[in-house]
Amino acid sequence: MSVAADSSKTLELFPQSVLAKHNSKDDCWVSTHERKIYDVSKYLKDHPEEADAVHKALDGKHGTDISQMELTTLKFVTDDYLVGYLATSDEEKKLLTNKSHKVEVKLNADNTFDSTTFVKDLPTEDKLSITTDYERDYKKHKFLDLNKPLLKQILFGNFTKDFYLDQIHRPRHYGKGSAPLFGNFLEAFTKTAWWVVPTVWGPVVLYFITTALMNMNNPLALFLFGLGIFVWTLIEYCLHRFLFHFDEWLPEHSMFFMIHFLLHGCHHYLPMDAYRLVVPPALFVVLCAPIYKLVFAALPYYWACAGFAGGMLGYICYDLCHYFLHHSKMPPFMRKLKKYHLEHHYKNYQLGFGVTSWFWDKVFGTYLGPDAPLSKMKYE
């Protein structure tokens, strides 16, 4: 009986009866008002010097609800000690009656987290998996109903440009797969798994770099390969800033709103959708064709092979990096980059266009620093 608790791991949903069994000093669990369950005994094993103070503070509260303030004071409110969520009475019934013993957890019933509000401090990762209340969101914002196919609503919604741009960049979380775009058999063509990118384009990189290495000076080929990777970082920045975010130049027409939504708006509206995050191969062919023709027209053929292979590898790294920034617990040296990109979604979508680095953001004055302002929210 497990559910997705955050973007990096799966945690169990426990009934009250199970929580109550962990009530000794050597095996002590506590739950918070947010329904998170922490294994305090694990914390005490790691910090024996604090055992007496913790047991005194938790006296009589083993296996019961305690406040988040107490957790913060006791210093163990970190995901390292998070073991699961406490089931509600309704969820306990579902756990016992459904065959898979899995149930979706919705934690925002008390309005403690609203993903549609841009914030100065990035939400913790567990909040990025809290499912949006579809009915409440539609009633409040009068934008899109996540229960129904989205493209039809955009095409016939009669939204103004200002309203569409305001709402499309304010994140929602679908919570159980991918929201419907068409609502029919076309749905499958709108989804791409992350592994498709290296599977399809990896052999292309191998072909072009092998061709270059077999037919030209190898050090020069490797230099051009590296140059191609560097040039890709600029292309990545420009595509993200000027094509994917052609917000200011978006014509006031629902057909163009739909194009904007398919190109990048869907990702900002539903940033944690794992199947609409990397570029589908068909779309990449369209975007890549002009670059391919330019490179092979401007350079000798084998030089072009080496440089284009580097650019393609840069693209593969970009798409994989983008996916894992959203859906994995990154190693320490990548966590700042993850925070930087997620702030593009949850703090200011008009800054921070670099995904694999912030180099070009600093060059062109769009760096999303700690003191950057929040994107304005015009409509509630």
Side-chain angles (χ1 to χ4, degrees):
M1 52 181 183
S2 60
V3 294
D6 59 33
S7 60
S8 61
K9 58 183 176 180
T10 299
L11 298 179
E12 288 196 56
L13 184 66
F14 293 102
Q16 180 68 46
S17 58
V18 172
L19 175 63
K21 292 179 181 179
H22 299 271
N23 61 356
S24 66
K25 288 188 176 182
D26 295 326
D27 181 20
C28 177
W29 288 7
V30 295
S31 66
T32 72
H33 68 281
E34 292 181 338
R35 297 171 52 195
K36 293 180 179 180
I37 297 175
Y38 293 88
D39 185 350
V40 186
S41 53
K42 186 176 184 294
Y43 174 83
L44 297 180
K45 290 176 183 177
D46 294 341
H47 303 81
E49 70 282 359
E50 299 183 32
D52 290 340
V54 171
H55 284 307
K56 183 178 180 180
L58 294 177
D59 185 37
K61 297 176 182 176
H62 298 300
T64 61
D65 184 72
I66 64 174
S67 71
Q68 191 72 31
M69 183 178 296
E70 287 172 305
L71 278 174
T72 305
T73 302
L74 296 172
K75 300 178 183 179
F76 59 78
V77 59
T78 70
D79 285 347
D80 292 336
Y81 306 101
L82 182 65
V83 294
Y85 287 109
L86 181 64
T88 64
S89 57
D90 288 340
E91 287 169 347
E92 284 193 30
K93 293 177 182 177
K94 292 179 182 178
L95 282 170
L96 295 174
T97 57
N98 69 70
K99 293 182 180 179
S100 65
H101 296 289
K102 293 182 180 180
V103 61
E104 180 185 357
V105 177
K106 292 188 177 183
L107 299 177
N108 60 341
D110 58 358
N111 288 318
T112 57
F113 175 65
D114 181 6
S115 65
T116 67
T117 302
F118 293 119
V119 292
K120 182 175 178 60
D121 297 317
L122 189 67
T124 55
E125 287 190 51
D126 59 289
K127 288 184 170 62
L128 302 186
S129 63
I130 296 177
T131 304
T132 295
D133 187 316
Y134 306 162
E135 294 181 5
R136 187 182 336 184
D137 179 66
Y138 183 69
K139 183 178 180 180
K140 177 181 179 181
H141 296 286
K142 305 293 191 299
F143 185 44
L144 300 178
D145 184 349
L146 282 164
N147 285 304
K148 301 175 181 178
L150 301 179
L151 289 179
K152 184 178 180 180
Q153 295 180 69
I154 293 174
L155 192 58
F156 300 104
N158 198 30
F159 305 126
T160 65
K161 171 183 170 179
D162 276 351
F163 180 72
Y164 166 80
L165 290 176
D166 175 81
Q167 290 294 316
I168 208 66
H169 290 105
R170 293 164 67 172
R172 276 76 167 177
H173 300 146
Y174 192 65
K176 52 181 179 182
S178 297
L181 297 191
F182 293 95
N184 55 34
F185 70 95
L186 294 174
E187 210 66 44
F189 297 99
T190 70
K191 302 174 185 178
T192 308
W194 68 267
W195 51 263
V196 171
V197 173
T199 302
V200 172
W201 301 118
V204 177
V205 173
L206 186 61
Y207 168 78
F208 280 114
I209 189 58
T210 300
T211 300
L213 290 171
M214 291 177 64
N215 293 279
M216 64 178 293
N217 178 274
N218 283 2
L220 178 58
L222 293 174
F223 169 77
L224 292 170
F225 182 78
L227 182 62
I229 295 175
F230 177 73
V231 171
W232 164 257
T233 64
L234 178 59
I235 295 173
E236 166 198 316
Y237 174 87
C238 292
L239 285 175
H240 193 184
R241 180 178 179 182
F242 299 112
L243 179 62
F244 296 163
H245 281 277
F246 67 106
D247 307 339
E248 296 179 13
W249 303 280
L250 183 65
E252 185 94 27
H253 194 284
S254 59
M255 183 62 70
F256 289 98
F257 298 169
M258 188 173 69
I259 294 172
H260 179 279
F261 180 81
L262 288 171
L263 194 61
H264 197 58
C266 180
H267 176 53
H268 271 267
Y269 187 65
L270 298 163
M272 301 309 292
D273 186 334
Y275 289 96
R276 297 196 178 110
L277 208 160
V278 299
V279 181
L283 176 58
F284 181 72
V285 169
V286 174
L287 296 175
C288 184
I291 299 173
Y292 172 86
K293 291 185 176 182
L294 177 62
V295 170
F296 280 85
L299 298 174
Y301 180 75
Y302 297 121
W303 287 37
C305 285
F308 186 73
M312 284 289 293
L313 180 62
Y315 157 69
I316 293 172
C317 293
Y318 151 77
D319 243 352
L320 295 183
C321 180
H322 189 200
Y323 176 86
F324 289 114
L325 289 178
H326 278 271
H327 291 285
S328 289
K329 194 167 186 177
M330 308 300 288
F333 69 94
M334 291 287 287
R335 287 176 192 165
K336 184 177 179 181
L337 186 61
K338 177 170 184 168
K339 179 176 182 290
Y340 184 78
H341 180 66
L342 291 180
E343 284 182 339
H344 171 73
H345 285 278
Y346 293 90
K347 181 177 180 178
N348 191 324
Y349 67 88
Q350 293 150 316
L351 298 173
F353 298 106
V355 174
T356 54
S357 81
W358 47 77
F359 174 79
W360 295 109
D361 280 311
K362 290 195 171 183
V363 171
F364 294 113
T366 55
Y367 180 70
L368 208 174
D371 299 325
L374 305 183
S375 286
K376 293 181 180 179
M377 296 171 286
K378 300 179 182 179
Y379 300 90
E380 287 300 330

